[in-house]
Amino acid sequence: MANGSCTSATSIPISSERSSPWPRPAASPLLATLVGRTQSAVSQKVLRLEKAIGRRVFARTSRSLRLTRDGERLLVVARRMLELNDTYLRSLRDGPGAGTLRLGVAENLVATQVPALVSRFCRLYPGIHLDLMTGLSFDLVTAYKDGQLDGVIARGRRDPGTQPSGRIIWREPLVWMAAADHVPNPGGPARLVMLRAPCNFRETMIEALESIRGEWITVCTSSSLTGLQAAVAGGMGATALGRSFAREDLKILNTDDMWPPLPTTEIVAIGEEGPTADLVRPLVSYLEDRMAEAGAFSRAA
């Protein structure tokens, strides 16, 4: 298995004689600290970069510093360039790879993200065996805590104390969903389709309904996300899912007296600091970029 990590430190000078059409950017102290340069040096490098590409990279206000849309596009390309550089240097250093990466990915990401993630893994680590586990987030986190997985990408737990240390990479709003031909029944209790306990979505639904003193009954409990979606699409009842789960046979219900507003849910990467960090981190970065392109999630601050 590849050991350690390789980070490119090569600096490519960029020069341009054109004057900048915008004020000189001021880098944040945190950004300067992260790259090991003075604040003024980082500001100068950002200015030279913006002049070279003819686009603004950062938008700064008195309270915040954020990437512009052009800056976000540049970030995606830059990550891929560094990834290619690191992969090449790793191949020279380590030679043919050997070993296994045990990766757990939440079931909700299987259909949309895992095919591309596996394809990227094959290109980055052709000599590494991938042991892929998919399932409910709680089961994956438990497997990680028991030493059965090297890394996990899953929904964050509502109680941080029950989950190993990880990094929030995305946030997504939760919504109520029902069958596409769902007909409201305001006179009766809310009919709920749930995943088996323990489950974040299950707890969130119950708390939301009890906050408005709404009546509810559980009409179906599923041990898998696929089963839950099938039961909802078949008209058994409603459930709470991330907005990205919307599809033709499911519709998002409007919040009202029967269906109260729901909070956001978080996607967490666990294992980026472990022994296989040099394998896990590039995959997590790639997944972040994929989700950004899909537009269904919001990048964590």
Side-chain angles (χ1 to χ4, degrees):
M1 181 179 295
N3 297 316
S5 62
C6 179
T7 302
S8 173
T10 303
S11 176
I12 302 175
I14 299 174
S15 62
S16 175
E17 299 301 323
R18 291 185 292 114
S19 61
S20 175
W22 42 76
R24 174 172 298 184
S28 69
L30 176 59
L31 178 59
T33 301
L34 288 175
V35 299
R37 298 289 190 273
T38 64
Q39 189 172 347
S40 60
V42 173
S43 296
Q44 182 63 29
K45 287 181 178 292
V46 172
L47 177 62
R48 291 166 61 191
L49 174 62
E50 291 182 334
K51 288 171 65 177
I53 65 177
R55 295 286 190 275
R56 294 197 68 170
V57 176
F58 289 104
R60 185 180 179 91
T61 67
S62 60
R63 296 186 177 181
S64 66
L65 179 69
R66 64 176 179 80
L67 287 171
T68 62
R69 290 185 63 86
D70 288 318
E72 290 179 346
R73 292 169 57 193
L74 178 63
L75 176 61
V76 171
V77 175
R79 278 178 169 165
R80 291 173 181 171
M81 292 172 64
L82 288 174
E83 183 180 288
L84 179 61
N85 175 80
D86 292 352
T87 300
Y88 173 68
L89 293 180
R90 189 184 300 113
S91 68
L92 293 179
R93 183 194 66 196
D94 299 333
T100 297
L101 173 65
R102 303 168 302 171
L103 182 66
V105 181
E107 189 180 9
N108 62 286
L109 300 175
V110 171
T112 57
Q113 306 298 336
V114 168
L117 197 66
V118 170
S119 177
R120 174 56 62 96
F121 180 88
C122 292
R123 291 196 297 271
L124 289 177
Y125 316 113
I128 302 294
H129 172 75
L130 177 64
D131 188 349
L132 180 65
M133 177 187 292
T134 62
L136 300 180
S137 295
F138 179 85
D139 296 335
L140 298 178
V141 171
T142 299
Y144 178 86
K145 292 165 64 176
D146 292 343
Q148 300 173 17
L149 291 173
D150 301 311
V152 170
I153 302 171
R155 298 279 176 177
R157 292 290 298 166
R158 285 150 46 94
D159 179 6
T162 64
Q163 180 169 287
S165 176
R167 180 171 66 91
I168 300 172
I169 56 176
W170 289 99
R171 291 186 174 91
E172 180 184 24
L174 286 178
V175 295
W176 294 103
M177 286 192 187
D181 58 356
H182 171 76
V183 177
N185 180 25
R191 297 170 56 85
L192 302 182
V193 179
M194 298 183 173
L195 289 170
R196 60 172 171 78
C199 170
N200 284 351
F201 293 170
R202 179 190 185 100
E203 296 167 5
T204 299
M205 282 190 284
I206 294 173
E207 286 186 5
L209 290 171
E210 290 185 347
S211 70
I212 62 170
R213 298 183 180 180
E215 294 184 2
W216 57 274
I217 58 172
T218 302
V219 295
C220 177
T221 301
S222 175
S223 61
S224 72
L225 183 61
T226 301
L228 178 138
Q229 290 176 300
V232 175
M236 290 199 70
T239 195
L241 289 172
R243 184 177 292 275
S244 61
F245 286 88
R247 60 190 202 189
E248 289 186 359
D249 56 352
L250 298 176
K251 73 175 181 181
I252 298 175
L253 302 178
N254 295 325
T255 55
D256 53 26
D257 292 341
M258 187 172 185
W259 305 108
L262 297 169
T264 58
T265 183
E266 299 169 342
I267 297 176
V268 177
I270 304 172
E272 289 184 292
E273 303 300 328
T276 57
D278 59 328
L279 302 179
V280 175
R281 286 175 184 165
L283 295 178
V284 173
S285 294
Y286 177 65
L287 183 61
E288 288 183 89
D289 295 338
R290 286 270 306 177
M291 290 179 168
E293 293 170 0
F297 303 82
S298 61
R299 194 184 294 269

